[in-house]
Amino acid sequence: VDAGTDSPVDLTCWSRWLDGTVALDPPIKLANLSIPNINSQNPSVTADGLALYFDRNQDYFRASRPSVTAAFDNAVRIDELATPLNESRISTTADDQLGVFASARAGTLGLLDLWQAERTADGTFGAPDSSLFGAINDAQNQFDPELTPDGLDLYWAPAEAGIQQIHHISRVSTHDAFKG
């Protein structure tokens, strides 16, 4: 996002990325989101740059801000997605209404499987569903889901023989299963 205008930046900058002309600002530590001796990991920023998701102690958290030039508020645990089991990375659609995440919750086929949850009218996430990921979920870990802004394409990195590789899959609508 262009910090000067709060407008989305053209995301088709691959040619600039590849030729080395993309300039990034220096990283800034999000001090209010850091807790000493506790891992906060697997960050995912919404398309508009106004929310940041991450996992901490195997639970999902969300921090928001009013503009891309403002600091993120303190993170809030997403209680409705919490389980006592391992949770890892969540990615949302551009409108932040649909999330795909990796979880070892009850009903998982293997280790970490992919699940989807939609926001309800009150802004919380509804019941998670793994049935749309039949072409993906198996006995292996499914790491690092990244949903495209429209929710129709998914990238993830399963650990096959201990090595992660990026995979891609598509679907027709956000309520349809992904097809390989």
Side-chain angles (χ1 to χ4, degrees):
V1 175
D2 182 347
T5 64
D6 255 7
S7 306
V9 173
D10 180 5
L11 296 178
T12 59
C13 65
W14 281 113
S15 61
R16 291 184 49 221
W17 183 266
L18 293 172
D19 71 15
T21 61
V22 172
L24 301 175
D25 291 336
I28 299 169
K29 182 176 182 176
L30 303 176
N32 67 315
L33 300 180
S34 299
I35 299 175
N37 303 316
I38 295 181
N39 286 335
S40 295
Q41 55 197 16
N42 297 313
S44 178
V45 178
T46 55
D48 61 9
L50 300 181
L52 171 68
Y53 289 89
F54 59 93
D55 59 271
R56 175 186 293 154
N57 288 343
Q58 301 181 13
D59 282 324
Y60 297 113
F61 285 78
R62 184 179 190 274
S64 59
R65 60 186 177 180
S67 75
V68 296
T69 57
F72 283 103
D73 297 334
N74 290 330
V76 176
R77 182 174 176 246
I78 304 173
D79 291 331
E80 63 272 19
L81 296 181
T83 72
L85 302 169
N86 191 19
E87 311 287 352
S88 179
R89 196 158 196 288
I90 185 170
S91 175
T92 63
T93 52
D95 62 6
D96 199 20
Q97 294 300 301
L98 181 78
V100 170
F101 55 94
S103 176
R105 65 189 55 237
T108 296
L109 297 175
L111 303 169
L112 288 172
D113 278 353
L114 298 183
W115 295 75
Q116 176 172 296
E118 289 188 68
R119 286 195 184 277
T120 61
D122 67 1
T124 61
F125 282 101
D129 179 11
S130 66
S131 68
L132 304 176
F133 302 93
I136 299 171
N137 291 337
D138 59 23
Q140 302 300 313
N141 277 318
Q142 309 306 321
F143 291 115
D144 305 324
E146 182 62 36
L147 203 54
T148 56
D150 62 7
L152 301 181
D153 288 277
L154 176 71
Y155 295 86
W156 81 104
E160 297 171 355
I163 299 171
Q164 282 186 269
Q165 295 183 16
I166 298 171
H167 289 235
H168 169 260
I169 198 164
S170 298
R171 61 182 171 183
V172 177
S173 81
T174 58
H175 295 100
D176 286 324
F178 286 98
K179 302 286 185 185

